[in-house]
Amino acid sequence: MDLEAEFERAVSGEQRVEPRDWMPDGYRKTLIRQIAQHAHSEIIGMQPEGNWISRAPSLRRKAILLAKVQDEAGHGLYLYAATETLGADRGELTENLINGRQKYSSIFNYPTLSYADVGTIGWLVDGAAICNQVPLCRTSYGPYARAMIRICKEESFHQRQGYELLMTMMRGTDAQRAMVQESVDRFWWPSLMMFGPPDSESSNTEQSMKWRIKRNTNDELRQKFVDMTVPQAEKLGVTLPDPALKWNPERGHYDFGQPDWDEFWQVVGGNGPANAQRIAHRRKAHEDGEWVRAAAAAHAARRARREEGVA
Amino acid sequence: MSSSWPLWEVFVRGKRGLNHVHVGSLHAPDAEMALRNARDVYTRRNEGVSIWVVPAAAITASSPDEKDPFFAPSGDKVYRHPTFYSIPEDVPHL
Ligand SMILES: [Fe+2]
Ligand SMILES: [Fe+2]
């Protein structure tokens, strides 16, 4: 049978594609690009919160934040491993990231100006990530789906620790409550941008849906996130900075305003508040780690020689 | 700029009494570091009581192209399954 027709039949019948199966070049390329971008986001995503580890207000909060940032490193590694099953080269992906040839989520180009941002990121940013990621647990490429299942299990801790942190601050002083509100004001719109441009402007959606790589459109997921988040904001006692936000009984959903898409494209294009800093930091970490990688390789080679000599 | 370490496949035994199951892969310079990295990457929440790491290059796999012919020998051997045999219902414990 025609390989391409067989492939299309398998994915539309909800069968999983595994690494050594035949697949169209476009499917492989789309997956490598999407999974690499996702992996880069997890890795760059360690920076905004890592910024607060040494200044967390208690040992408890510091331990939680460390564990969360370590999880994000793990998520990046699960995903890089998934790209390698498609024939991507791990070293090359890192090069692509630090040379700006591949992107990561625009949200991580916003700075973390106050400690409340740690809570807001857990609640809104990890919350939006969960909305994006839960459907990907059923994505057509097996290794990607399996990585997403592991990731989703861990994300739930991320979101809850953030919300709990904000609840604690909201029970504190007026200054602490103001700090939470100010943080939510800054992160609300960038969080909505995490779902990508409106469906009318999203070039990759249609083919990706056909291949069952993507399971929902950007706008569907954005709506789901808003519907989930509004009641949480009410319980928390913060105001979401959108005057158009209103329950629509006919649709059974919240109506809401559009983020500033010009700002989104500026940030994606490299002109966000922290793009240069994030990449410079990643590049420095990679270059500073080179001697460790070289030493470990030399040690392994010497031990292998010695073991051969003994044998 | 980067020295590349070999790829290892990681298998984890979730708890005693279960098989080791493939969970993913990682890069490491040698087996010992592969085990340590596997612990940090794949068992941060008590997901395992034992880990195997295997050089990815050492694995021989059946080819997906011949999945039908390769597994065909068991396809027509229905007599390997207990449901192939009809036994009267009043025979106990069988
Ligand atoms: Fe993550
Ligand atoms: Fe997370």
Side-chain angles (χ1 to χ4, degrees):
Chain A
M1 197 196 301
D2 176 12
L3 285 172
E4 183 127 19
E6 166 68 9
F7 176 87
E8 301 282 342
R9 198 191 52 78
V11 290
S12 58
E14 292 295 331
Q15 279 191 45
R16 293 290 178 266
V17 181
E18 292 296 341
R20 282 154 43 93
D21 291 340
W22 184 90
M23 59 188 89
D25 271 353
Y27 179 83
R28 186 184 298 273
K29 279 199 198 113
T30 303
L31 271 173
I32 291 179
R33 184 175 44 78
Q34 179 173 331
I35 305 174
Q37 186 167 324
H38 192 161
H40 297 330
S41 303
E42 302 282 356
I43 296 298
I44 295 289
M46 289 192 281
Q47 292 184 38
E49 291 179 285
N51 183 35
W52 285 93
I53 291 174
S54 63
R55 288 172 287 166
S58 67
L59 192 56
R60 177 175 180 271
R61 292 293 173 193
K62 187 180 293 213
I64 292 170
L65 189 50
L66 263 173
K68 187 197 183 239
V69 171
Q70 191 188 7
D71 273 354
E72 306 300 4
H75 296 176
L77 294 177
Y78 306 155
L79 291 162
Y80 282 131
T83 62
E84 292 189 285
T85 65
L86 291 158
D89 178 85
R90 170 79 177 279
E92 220 171 275
L93 295 182
T94 301
E95 299 287 324
N96 287 344
L97 170 64
I98 58 189
N99 291 326
R101 276 197 300 273
Q102 278 176 340
K103 308 240 175 273
Y104 54 89
S105 176
S106 58
I107 188 77
F108 301 117
N109 291 315
Y110 291 86
T112 42
L113 304 178
S114 81
Y115 177 67
D117 289 357
V118 172
T120 309
I121 287 178
W123 174 39
L124 296 179
V125 175
D126 289 87
I130 292 172
C131 268
N132 265 329
Q133 291 170 353
V134 165
L136 289 176
C137 295
R138 295 181 298 117
T139 192
S140 59
Y141 187 58
Y144 190 24
R146 293 192 286 274
M148 291 318 307
I149 290 170
R150 298 183 69 87
I151 288 175
C152 285
K153 272 191 199 151
E154 302 183 352
E155 287 297 346
S156 150
F157 141 60
H158 297 179
Q159 196 187 20
R160 290 172 67 100
Q161 65 82 34
Y163 194 81
E164 188 228 45
L165 191 165
L166 296 179
M167 278 188 353
T168 308
M169 289 185 76
M170 291 302 284
R171 283 195 302 265
T173 63
D174 283 348
Q176 284 174 310
R177 275 186 287 277
M179 196 188 270
V180 172
Q181 183 62 57
E182 190 274 337
S183 171
V184 169
D185 288 346
R186 272 184 292 113
F187 274 95
W188 174 248
W189 293 110
S191 300
L192 290 190
M193 294 177 196
M194 285 176 69
F195 299 94
D199 294 347
S200 53
E201 289 170 45
S202 175
S203 48
N204 304 320
T205 297
E206 202 186 326
Q207 181 63 69
S208 286
M209 301 265 291
K210 200 165 146 253
W211 277 333
R212 303 288 202 274
I213 295 174
K214 253 181 110 139
R215 314 288 323 212
N216 300 91
T217 72
N218 297 352
D219 287 333
E220 281 168 16
L221 292 169
R222 194 169 6 250
Q223 179 74 62
K224 196 168 160 226
F225 173 69
V226 171
D227 290 347
M228 274 173 36
T229 307
V230 173
Q232 295 168 353
E234 281 165 8
K235 276 263 178 259
L236 194 57
V238 295
T239 309
L240 298 173
D242 178 0
L245 191 66
K246 195 165 157 258
W247 178 250
N248 181 330
E250 271 141 60
R251 292 201 308 125
H253 292 290
Y254 285 92
D255 290 338
F256 57 97
Q258 286 294 308
D260 178 349
W261 291 114
D262 290 338
E263 176 184 315
F264 172 78
W265 291 115
Q266 280 295 319
V267 178
V268 169
N271 302 315
N275 294 57
Q277 180 191 335
R278 299 291 185 239
I279 291 296
H281 187 88
R282 180 67 191 91
R283 177 194 297 276
K284 184 172 185 308
H286 186 64
E287 286 169 359
D288 290 353
E290 175 56 22
W291 73 270
V292 179
R293 293 190 294 276
H299 176 73
R302 200 176 58 179
R303 203 159 61 174
R305 272 201 307 277
R306 202 179 295 152
E307 272 162 22
E308 256 167 44
V310 171
Chain B
M1 166 156 88
S2 67
S3 6
S4 74
W5 292 339
L7 188 66
W8 302 76
E9 297 297 336
V10 181
F11 300 78
V12 171
R13 185 199 293 287
K15 57 180 182 186
R16 304 182 69 83
L18 297 180
N19 289 322
H20 285 76
V21 174
H22 182 245
V23 293
S25 61
L26 50 75
H27 288 274
D30 58 25
E32 198 184 321
M33 284 303 294
L35 268 182
R36 282 175 179 276
N37 290 352
R39 179 199 59 190
D40 293 342
V41 176
Y42 292 106
T43 62
R44 286 193 302 285
R45 288 177 175 77
N46 307 317
E47 288 96 336
V49 294
S50 162
I51 302 176
W52 290 345
V53 289
V54 181
I59 293 179
T60 306
S62 63
S63 155
D65 298 338
E66 50 173 24
K67 61 183 171 216
D68 294 338
F70 190 73
F71 294 103
S74 72
D76 59 355
K77 296 182 177 60
V78 281
Y79 47 84
R80 284 179 174 170
H81 299 274
T83 46
F84 179 71
Y85 305 93
S86 53
I87 308 281
E89 269 183 33
D90 52 0
V91 179
H93 307 302
L94 199 73

